[in-house]
């Protein structure tokens, strides 16, 4: 099994629909992250969580919300999807101690039409 | 958060060494220098990290300047599979930080 699993891998949704992207990890890490990546650009941080009760906004949180259901699960929601949220979304997890290597999922390709 | 600056792109020939530079002039004493790479259609993967001393692992070497304001990721013999986007990022290990902010990275092209 992969260390970080994202579901779905691909999704096409309509403008105005609510959609949830799910992420689960088997590393036992407290820290989890959600990123979006647009074509030809780097990763931008949407939200991050240092434990179940600690959730923080990243660089581009507007239009998104998250839920940390358990240490292993961190979900990203688009309450009312819009076309410019079409992107590749990545979830990551990282341990607290050195080296603190981050592990990324394979990504969810979301298209909003 | 301290920022990093990398060239947008670099080219290399297969089997030759590659030196990928990164500037981080505002690095703090508690920042670790991490490198990740992203292969096409995949999530980023960890490459190497260091604090002050040069580091080697099976994937690469990391050379850190004495003043820590710059570092260089060294791929000793580039292969076609090393073509990727390489990100240099700074991570502080404390309980309330470590946002893991990525810049634009360097796109490495490897020519056969």
């Amino acid at each position: 099994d992969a260390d970080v699993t994202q579901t779905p891998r691909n999704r096409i949704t309509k403008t105005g629909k609510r959609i949830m992207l799910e992420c689960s990890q088997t590393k036992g890490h407290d820290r989890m992250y959600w990123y979006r990546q647009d074509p030809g650009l780097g990763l931008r941080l949407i939200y991050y969580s240092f434990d179940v009760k600690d959730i923080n906004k990243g660089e581009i949180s507007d239009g998104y919300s998250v839920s940390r259901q358990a240490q292993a699960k961190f979900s990203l929601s688009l309450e009312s999807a819009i076309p410019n949220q079409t992107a590749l979304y990545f979830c990551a997890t990282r341990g607290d101690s050195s080296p603190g290597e981050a592990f990324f999922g394979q990504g969810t390709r979301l298209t909003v039409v | 958060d301290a920022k990093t600056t990398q060239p947008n792109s670099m080219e290399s020939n297969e089997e030759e060494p590659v030196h990928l530079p990164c500037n981080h002039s505002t690095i703090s004493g508690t920042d670790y220098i991490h490198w990740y790479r992203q292969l096409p259609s995949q999530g980023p993967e960890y490459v190497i990290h260091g604090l002050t001393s040069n580091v080697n692992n099976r994937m690469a070497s990391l050379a850190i300047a004495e003043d820590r304001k710059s570092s260089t990721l060294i791929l000793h013999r580039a292969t076609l599979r090393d073509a990727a986007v390489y990100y240099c990022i700074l991570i502080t290990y404390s309980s309330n930080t470590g946002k893991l902010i990525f810049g634009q990275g360097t796109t490495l092209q490897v020519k056969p």
Side-chain angles (χ1 to χ4, degrees):
Chain A
D1 289 341
D3 294 324
V4 182
T5 302
Q6 292 183 232
T7 55
R9 292 293 310 280
N10 290 282
R11 180 73 180 269
I12 300 173
T13 192
K14 294 183 177 181
T15 298
K17 293 290 188 181
R18 183 180 189 275
I19 183 169
M20 178 182 288
L21 309 183
E22 298 187 343
C23 176
S24 62
Q25 52 105 351
T26 59
K27 300 296 292 183
H29 291 164
D30 286 328
R31 301 182 186 204
M32 297 190 73
Y33 306 80
W34 273 106
Y35 295 88
R36 71 174 277 175
Q37 186 172 38
D38 296 282
L41 300 180
L43 287 84
R44 290 185 291 170
L45 182 63
I46 305 173
Y47 270 96
Y48 59 104
S49 170
F50 287 163
D51 65 40
V52 175
K53 297 181 180 180
D54 183 5
I55 294 178
N56 305 277
K57 293 182 177 181
E59 303 169 284
I60 52 163
S61 58
D62 288 348
Y64 301 95
S65 63
V66 291
S67 172
R68 186 81 184 265
Q69 301 95 324
Q71 184 197 45
K73 296 184 183 298
F74 192 36
S75 301
L76 176 72
S77 294
L78 286 68
E79 297 300 326
S80 180
I82 57 177
N84 77 359
Q85 290 178 313
T86 293
L88 186 56
Y89 290 84
F90 287 103
C91 173
T93 182
R94 187 167 73 86
D96 291 337
S97 60
S98 180
E101 174 184 347
F103 296 84
F104 283 79
Q106 287 293 88
T108 294
R109 187 168 298 281
L110 176 66
T111 303
V112 183
V113 298
Chain B
D1 295 318
K3 293 190 181 297
T4 62
T5 304
Q6 301 176 253
N8 287 332
S9 63
M10 293 184 65
E11 285 187 355
S12 172
N13 293 318
E14 197 175 12
E15 303 293 316
E16 291 184 355
V18 182
H19 291 230
L20 298 165
C22 181
N23 288 320
H24 28 80
S25 58
T26 59
I27 191 171
S28 73
T30 55
D31 286 337
Y32 285 72
I33 302 159
H34 280 237
W35 283 82
Y36 286 77
R37 73 177 185 181
Q38 186 176 18
L39 301 172
S41 302
Q42 294 189 25
E45 63 176 352
Y46 169 83
V47 177
I48 200 168
H49 84 285
L51 182 61
T52 56
S53 302
N54 295 342
V55 184
N56 299 296
N57 67 19
R58 64 176 180 81
M59 292 181 70
S61 295
L62 176 60
I64 301 172
E66 192 169 340
D67 64 6
R68 300 208 327 125
K69 293 184 176 182
S70 65
S71 61
T72 302
L73 179 70
I74 303 166
L75 307 179
H76 296 285
R77 292 182 66 192
T79 69
L80 297 177
R81 291 185 298 176
D82 290 323
V85 180
Y86 287 80
Y87 297 98
C88 165
I89 59 177
L90 304 180
I91 301 177
T92 299
Y93 290 105
S94 70
S95 60
N96 295 320
T97 60
K99 288 195 288 185
L100 206 60
I101 301 293
F102 285 77
Q104 296 302 307
T106 297
T107 299
L108 176 65
Q109 295 180 324
V110 180
K111 296 182 290 184

